[in-house]
Amino acid sequence: MNKFFSNRRLVIVIVCLIVSFGLMSVSVAIRNKRSTPPLIQQFGNDVVGLVNRVIAWPVNGLKGSVTGVSDLLNTYQENQRLKSQVQELAQTKVHDQSVSQENKRLKQELKLNHALTDYSPVNATVIARTPSSWENQVIIDKGSAAGIKKNMPVLSGSGLVGRVSEVNRTNSKVELLSNSSESANRFAISITNKSGSTVNGIISGFDNAKNQIEMGNITSKTKIQKGDKVVTSGLGGIMPAGLLVGTVASTGTDNYGTASKITIKPAADISELSVVTVAIRQAQTTN
């Protein structure tokens, strides 16, 4: 009896499995034949799609805004880096130009030092030059401690630019050739023409517009030509003779026609002084 019931349960289980597999096959076949899902499923899909669009719209907008802000920040940072590089390049260019000009002036001073056989050259740097006295004086970084004394000649490049007018322990004041004030000491100069004749005079003024020295107190009628060399004459006992001042730029007569009018092109650029040389006579050299 028990065996019969046991076999009966087994048969029922097998029948249930067969019916289940049959229903699944029919369901799959029906689903494959239908081109559209059921109405309830369509409604559910539409609702889900609408919800996805509603949620996706602000999310996509926020994502786009974040991306835009990030790109803007990156552009700003890159722009700042480029500006910094441009400023660095500009500063480097200016520095290179300054170094190049300083190197050129130092080479000129080196050539000048070799030419000063009767003097001991002391190189100095211009440390002050005020706009109000630009054409009158400069201050250099050498003083009595370096052997500098009053009235010593000061040169730059290949020619005379002035003389020491005041000496301190560590710096000195230089009166320039271009100083045309009444209180300035006049430089005695001379011109020697090609025939060997000499014309003496003094520096009487300076033309800032043309950057030329004016020579006055000329009494000789000796013919002077453009290009003749102008040097210190040594007259007056203050400035030594033979230091190059410049070359004759033009000649003529003054408004009264009684004296020659001579303008001189300076051998050194007085308007731009950064390095100068103070010429100390060998007999004056200090130990």
Side-chain angles (χ1 to χ4, degrees):
M1 190 71 177
N2 292 330
K3 185 177 180 181
F4 173 77
F5 283 110
S6 177
N7 292 334
R8 186 179 179 183
R9 290 194 189 99
L10 180 60
V11 171
I12 292 172
V13 170
I14 292 172
V15 171
C16 290
L17 290 173
I18 293 172
V19 172
S20 297
F21 282 115
L23 291 174
M24 291 176 61
S25 300
V26 171
S27 176
V28 170
I30 293 173
R31 186 179 301 172
N32 291 335
K33 288 182 180 181
R34 296 181 64 175
S35 58
T36 58
L39 183 61
I40 296 176
Q41 186 176 352
Q42 291 181 19
F43 178 76
N45 292 338
D46 292 337
V47 172
V48 172
L50 179 61
V51 171
N52 288 336
R53 285 196 296 271
V54 171
I55 295 175
W57 182 77
V59 171
N60 292 335
L62 180 61
K63 182 179 179 182
S65 300
V66 171
T67 303
V69 171
S70 177
D71 292 341
L72 183 60
L73 290 175
N74 292 335
T75 302
Y76 174 77
Q77 293 174 355
E78 184 178 1
N79 189 34
Q80 293 298 110
R81 287 195 297 269
L82 291 175
K83 284 184 177 179
S84 176
Q85 291 177 0
V86 169
Q87 292 176 353
E88 290 177 359
L89 289 174
Q91 293 173 356
T92 302
K93 184 178 179 180
V94 172
H95 179 265
D96 290 344
Q97 290 176 345
S98 300
V99 171
S100 178
Q101 292 175 356
E102 183 179 4
N103 187 37
K104 182 179 179 180
R105 295 190 182 99
L106 289 174
K107 286 182 178 180
Q108 291 175 343
E109 296 301 317
L110 184 61
K111 292 179 181 179
L112 176 63
N113 292 344
H114 287 307
L116 293 175
T117 55
D118 296 332
Y119 300 90
S120 294
V122 175
N123 293 330
T125 301
V126 175
I127 58 176
R129 189 175 188 177
T130 60
S132 60
S133 59
W134 189 265
E135 301 297 340
N136 297 335
Q137 64 184 23
V138 297
I139 298 176
I140 59 176
D141 64 347
K142 292 294 192 308
S144 59
I148 307 298
K149 295 182 179 180
K150 187 176 180 180
N151 291 325
M152 284 184 172
V154 180
L155 303 97
S156 179
S158 58
L160 184 72
V161 295
R163 62 165 157 241
V164 177
S165 60
E166 183 181 307
V167 182
N168 300 304
R169 178 68 180 171
T170 58
N171 60 75
S172 301
K173 187 179 295 183
V174 177
E175 180 184 280
L176 300 176
L177 289 175
S178 54
N179 187 352
S180 57
S181 63
E182 294 296 331
S183 61
N185 292 322
R186 303 300 182 184
F187 288 81
I189 56 178
S190 65
I191 304 173
T192 303
N193 60 15
K194 294 180 180 179
S195 63
S197 300
T198 301
V199 176
N200 292 312
I202 63 171
I203 294 177
S204 58
F206 188 81
D207 189 337
N208 294 325
K210 297 181 179 180
N211 193 31
Q212 292 180 344
I213 299 170
E214 297 175 355
M215 180 178 180
N217 286 20
I218 304 168
T219 57
S220 175
K221 298 297 181 181
T222 301
K223 186 176 181 180
I224 299 298
Q225 295 181 347
K226 181 179 180 180
D228 289 342
K229 288 188 176 181
V230 184
V231 298
T232 54
S233 65
L235 300 177
I238 297 178
M239 184 64 58
L243 298 177
L244 180 63
V245 175
T247 57
V248 175
S250 64
T251 61
T253 57
D254 60 15
N255 295 331
Y256 302 98
T258 58
S260 296
K261 182 179 180 181
I262 299 175
T263 58
I264 302 166
K265 179 182 178 182
D269 190 356
I270 302 176
S271 63
E272 294 184 6
L273 296 176
S274 59
V275 180
V276 297
T277 298
V278 181
I280 303 176
R281 287 184 178 179
Q282 295 289 354
Q284 296 177 335
T285 305
T286 57
N287 294 327

